Short mmCIF file of all heavy atoms in Angstrom, two decimals:
data_model
loop_
_atom_site.label_atom_id
_atom_site.label_comp_id
_atom_site.label_asym_id
_atom_site.label_seq_id
_atom_site.Cartn_x
_atom_site.Cartn_y
_atom_site.Cartn_z
N ALA A 36 12.21 4.32 -27.61
CA ALA A 36 13.42 3.67 -27.14
C ALA A 36 14.60 4.60 -27.10
O ALA A 36 15.40 4.74 -26.19
CB ALA A 36 13.79 2.51 -28.12
N LEU A 37 14.76 5.43 -28.19
CA LEU A 37 15.81 6.39 -28.18
C LEU A 37 15.70 7.46 -27.13
O LEU A 37 16.70 7.81 -26.47
CB LEU A 37 15.87 7.10 -29.58
CG LEU A 37 16.44 6.13 -30.76
CD1 LEU A 37 16.28 6.87 -32.04
CD2 LEU A 37 17.96 5.86 -30.40
N THR A 38 14.43 7.93 -26.87
CA THR A 38 14.27 9.03 -25.83
C THR A 38 14.65 8.44 -24.48
O THR A 38 15.31 8.91 -23.65
CB THR A 38 12.82 9.33 -25.81
OG1 THR A 38 12.41 9.73 -27.11
CG2 THR A 38 12.59 10.59 -24.87
N THR A 39 14.23 7.16 -24.30
CA THR A 39 14.47 6.54 -22.92
C THR A 39 15.97 6.29 -22.75
O THR A 39 16.50 6.48 -21.70
CB THR A 39 13.71 5.18 -22.92
OG1 THR A 39 12.40 5.37 -23.16
CG2 THR A 39 13.88 4.55 -21.56
N LEU A 40 16.67 5.78 -23.80
CA LEU A 40 18.14 5.56 -23.72
C LEU A 40 18.89 6.87 -23.58
O LEU A 40 20.00 6.75 -23.14
CB LEU A 40 18.58 4.76 -24.98
CG LEU A 40 18.14 3.23 -24.95
CD1 LEU A 40 18.14 2.65 -26.33
CD2 LEU A 40 19.10 2.54 -24.02
N GLY A 41 18.27 7.93 -23.96
CA GLY A 41 18.94 9.21 -23.78
C GLY A 41 18.92 9.70 -22.31
O GLY A 41 19.68 10.52 -21.92
N CYS A 42 18.01 9.25 -21.46
CA CYS A 42 17.98 9.71 -20.22
C CYS A 42 18.07 8.72 -19.09
O CYS A 42 18.09 9.03 -17.94
CB CYS A 42 16.64 10.53 -19.98
SG CYS A 42 15.17 9.69 -20.35
N GLN A 43 18.29 7.49 -19.42
CA GLN A 43 18.44 6.45 -18.39
C GLN A 43 19.56 5.46 -18.71
O GLN A 43 19.67 5.08 -19.88
CB GLN A 43 17.10 5.64 -18.21
CG GLN A 43 17.09 4.34 -17.46
CD GLN A 43 17.08 4.57 -15.89
OE1 GLN A 43 16.11 5.22 -15.48
NE2 GLN A 43 17.94 3.96 -15.18
N HIS A 44 20.39 5.07 -17.78
CA HIS A 44 21.43 4.10 -18.03
C HIS A 44 20.85 2.78 -18.08
O HIS A 44 20.13 2.33 -17.20
CB HIS A 44 22.55 4.27 -16.98
CG HIS A 44 23.49 3.07 -16.99
ND1 HIS A 44 24.58 3.10 -17.89
CD2 HIS A 44 23.50 1.80 -16.46
CE1 HIS A 44 25.25 1.87 -17.79
NE2 HIS A 44 24.59 1.17 -16.87
N TYR A 45 21.22 1.90 -19.15
CA TYR A 45 20.82 0.62 -19.19
C TYR A 45 22.09 -0.26 -19.35
O TYR A 45 23.03 0.20 -20.02
CB TYR A 45 19.85 0.30 -20.36
CG TYR A 45 18.38 0.79 -20.11
CD1 TYR A 45 18.08 2.07 -20.50
CD2 TYR A 45 17.63 0.01 -19.33
CE1 TYR A 45 16.82 2.58 -20.19
CE2 TYR A 45 16.36 0.42 -19.04
CZ TYR A 45 15.90 1.75 -19.57
OH TYR A 45 14.72 2.29 -19.05
N ASP A 46 22.00 -1.52 -18.73
CA ASP A 46 23.16 -2.40 -18.90
C ASP A 46 22.96 -3.23 -20.19
O ASP A 46 24.06 -3.70 -20.74
CB ASP A 46 23.19 -3.38 -17.65
CG ASP A 46 23.37 -2.58 -16.35
OD1 ASP A 46 24.45 -2.07 -16.22
OD2 ASP A 46 22.42 -2.52 -15.57
N LEU A 47 21.79 -3.28 -20.72
CA LEU A 47 21.60 -4.06 -21.94
C LEU A 47 20.29 -3.71 -22.61
O LEU A 47 19.36 -3.32 -21.88
CB LEU A 47 21.65 -5.62 -21.63
CG LEU A 47 21.62 -6.60 -22.78
CD1 LEU A 47 22.63 -7.60 -22.62
CD2 LEU A 47 20.24 -7.31 -22.86
N VAL A 48 20.22 -3.79 -23.89
CA VAL A 48 19.02 -3.58 -24.69
C VAL A 48 18.65 -4.72 -25.53
O VAL A 48 19.56 -5.39 -26.16
CB VAL A 48 19.22 -2.31 -25.67
CG1 VAL A 48 17.95 -2.07 -26.58
CG2 VAL A 48 19.61 -1.02 -24.87
N LEU A 49 17.35 -5.08 -25.47
CA LEU A 49 16.80 -6.17 -26.39
C LEU A 49 16.00 -5.37 -27.36
O LEU A 49 15.00 -4.77 -27.07
CB LEU A 49 16.00 -7.16 -25.56
CG LEU A 49 16.64 -8.00 -24.52
CD1 LEU A 49 15.64 -8.80 -23.78
CD2 LEU A 49 17.68 -8.84 -25.10
N LEU A 50 16.36 -5.59 -28.63
CA LEU A 50 15.80 -4.70 -29.70
C LEU A 50 15.13 -5.51 -30.83
O LEU A 50 15.81 -6.21 -31.46
CB LEU A 50 16.82 -3.84 -30.28
CG LEU A 50 16.52 -2.87 -31.42
CD1 LEU A 50 15.49 -1.85 -30.91
CD2 LEU A 50 17.81 -2.21 -31.94
N ASP A 51 13.79 -5.46 -30.85
CA ASP A 51 13.14 -6.08 -32.02
C ASP A 51 13.39 -5.20 -33.25
O ASP A 51 13.60 -4.02 -33.12
CB ASP A 51 11.57 -6.04 -31.71
CG ASP A 51 10.74 -6.59 -32.75
OD1 ASP A 51 11.27 -7.44 -33.56
OD2 ASP A 51 9.63 -6.10 -32.89
N LEU A 52 13.52 -5.80 -34.42
CA LEU A 52 13.73 -5.01 -35.65
C LEU A 52 12.55 -4.39 -36.25
O LEU A 52 12.58 -3.30 -36.72
CB LEU A 52 14.59 -5.82 -36.59
CG LEU A 52 16.00 -6.11 -36.19
CD1 LEU A 52 16.78 -6.93 -37.30
CD2 LEU A 52 16.75 -4.92 -35.77
N GLY A 53 11.44 -5.17 -36.37
CA GLY A 53 10.24 -4.70 -36.98
C GLY A 53 9.44 -3.88 -36.00
O GLY A 53 8.78 -4.52 -35.12
N LEU A 54 9.62 -2.55 -36.07
CA LEU A 54 8.91 -1.70 -35.13
C LEU A 54 8.11 -0.59 -35.88
O LEU A 54 8.56 -0.27 -36.96
CB LEU A 54 9.95 -0.93 -34.18
CG LEU A 54 10.68 -1.78 -33.16
CD1 LEU A 54 11.86 -1.00 -32.60
CD2 LEU A 54 9.81 -2.31 -32.07
N PRO A 55 7.08 -0.08 -35.32
CA PRO A 55 6.34 1.05 -35.96
C PRO A 55 7.22 2.21 -35.98
O PRO A 55 7.91 2.52 -35.02
CB PRO A 55 5.12 1.11 -35.10
CG PRO A 55 5.43 0.56 -33.81
CD PRO A 55 6.46 -0.51 -34.04
N GLY A 56 7.04 3.08 -36.95
CA GLY A 56 7.84 4.30 -37.05
C GLY A 56 9.33 4.02 -37.39
O GLY A 56 9.64 3.38 -38.29
N LYS A 57 10.14 4.40 -36.48
CA LYS A 57 11.67 4.11 -36.58
C LYS A 57 11.86 2.59 -36.38
O LYS A 57 11.48 2.08 -35.29
CB LYS A 57 12.37 4.86 -35.49
CG LYS A 57 13.41 5.74 -36.02
CD LYS A 57 14.11 6.39 -34.81
CE LYS A 57 14.39 7.92 -34.97
NZ LYS A 57 15.03 8.36 -36.14
N ASP A 58 12.47 1.88 -37.26
CA ASP A 58 12.60 0.39 -37.02
C ASP A 58 13.91 0.15 -36.30
O ASP A 58 14.68 1.17 -35.99
CB ASP A 58 12.56 -0.36 -38.40
CG ASP A 58 13.77 -0.25 -39.22
OD1 ASP A 58 14.76 0.24 -38.85
OD2 ASP A 58 13.69 -0.56 -40.41
N GLY A 59 14.08 -1.14 -35.88
CA GLY A 59 15.16 -1.41 -35.08
C GLY A 59 16.60 -1.09 -35.58
O GLY A 59 17.33 -0.61 -34.87
N LEU A 60 16.75 -1.35 -36.92
CA LEU A 60 17.96 -0.99 -37.42
C LEU A 60 18.25 0.63 -37.35
O LEU A 60 19.44 0.96 -37.12
CB LEU A 60 18.16 -1.53 -38.83
CG LEU A 60 18.19 -2.99 -39.07
CD1 LEU A 60 18.08 -3.44 -40.53
CD2 LEU A 60 19.49 -3.51 -38.52
N GLU A 61 17.27 1.41 -37.60
CA GLU A 61 17.35 2.85 -37.49
C GLU A 61 17.76 3.15 -35.98
O GLU A 61 18.61 4.08 -35.76
CB GLU A 61 16.21 3.52 -37.86
CG GLU A 61 15.94 3.44 -39.30
CD GLU A 61 14.57 4.17 -39.68
OE1 GLU A 61 14.53 5.49 -39.87
OE2 GLU A 61 13.60 3.48 -39.65
N VAL A 62 17.14 2.59 -35.12
CA VAL A 62 17.36 2.79 -33.65
C VAL A 62 18.88 2.41 -33.25
O VAL A 62 19.57 3.20 -32.82
CB VAL A 62 16.42 2.02 -32.70
CG1 VAL A 62 16.89 2.10 -31.23
CG2 VAL A 62 14.98 2.39 -32.86
N LEU A 63 19.38 1.28 -33.80
CA LEU A 63 20.64 0.85 -33.53
C LEU A 63 21.62 1.88 -34.22
O LEU A 63 22.64 2.22 -33.59
CB LEU A 63 20.83 -0.53 -34.19
CG LEU A 63 22.13 -1.12 -34.16
CD1 LEU A 63 22.72 -1.29 -32.70
CD2 LEU A 63 22.30 -2.54 -34.85
N ALA A 64 21.36 2.23 -35.49
CA ALA A 64 22.20 3.16 -36.15
C ALA A 64 22.35 4.47 -35.45
O ALA A 64 23.46 5.04 -35.20
CB ALA A 64 21.83 3.41 -37.60
N SER A 65 21.29 5.03 -34.89
CA SER A 65 21.32 6.18 -34.23
C SER A 65 21.97 6.20 -32.79
O SER A 65 22.65 7.10 -32.45
CB SER A 65 19.80 6.67 -34.17
OG SER A 65 19.57 7.43 -33.09
N LEU A 66 21.83 5.03 -32.20
CA LEU A 66 22.45 4.83 -30.97
C LEU A 66 23.98 4.83 -31.09
O LEU A 66 24.74 5.55 -30.47
CB LEU A 66 22.16 3.47 -30.36
CG LEU A 66 20.99 3.28 -29.40
CD1 LEU A 66 20.91 1.94 -28.92
CD2 LEU A 66 21.21 4.21 -28.20
N ARG A 67 24.53 3.97 -32.06
CA ARG A 67 25.96 3.87 -32.32
C ARG A 67 26.47 5.23 -32.92
O ARG A 67 27.63 5.50 -32.61
CB ARG A 67 26.21 2.65 -33.31
CG ARG A 67 25.87 1.36 -32.66
CD ARG A 67 26.27 1.06 -31.18
NE ARG A 67 26.15 -0.35 -30.83
CZ ARG A 67 25.76 -0.74 -29.57
NH1 ARG A 67 25.67 0.07 -28.62
NH2 ARG A 67 25.69 -2.05 -29.26
N ALA A 68 25.63 5.91 -33.62
CA ALA A 68 26.15 7.19 -34.23
C ALA A 68 26.42 8.15 -33.07
O ALA A 68 27.27 9.03 -33.15
CB ALA A 68 25.09 7.71 -35.16
N LYS A 69 25.65 8.04 -31.94
CA LYS A 69 25.86 8.88 -30.73
C LYS A 69 26.87 8.38 -29.81
O LYS A 69 27.03 8.80 -28.72
CB LYS A 69 24.55 9.03 -30.02
CG LYS A 69 23.57 10.13 -30.66
CD LYS A 69 22.35 10.23 -29.87
CE LYS A 69 21.09 9.75 -30.57
NZ LYS A 69 19.90 9.55 -29.81
#
Side-chain angles (χ1 to χ4, degrees):
L37 283 174
T38 310
T39 306
L40 284 159
C42 52
Q43 162 86 49
H44 168 85
Y45 286 93
D46 298 292
L47 188 130
V48 176
L49 295 176
L50 179 65
D51 179 29
L52 289 186
L54 292 168
K57 237 180 223 310
D58 74 17
L60 288 171
E61 288 175 90
V62 171
L63 175 62
S65 149
L66 268 181
R67 296 313 191 214
K69 282 184 244 166

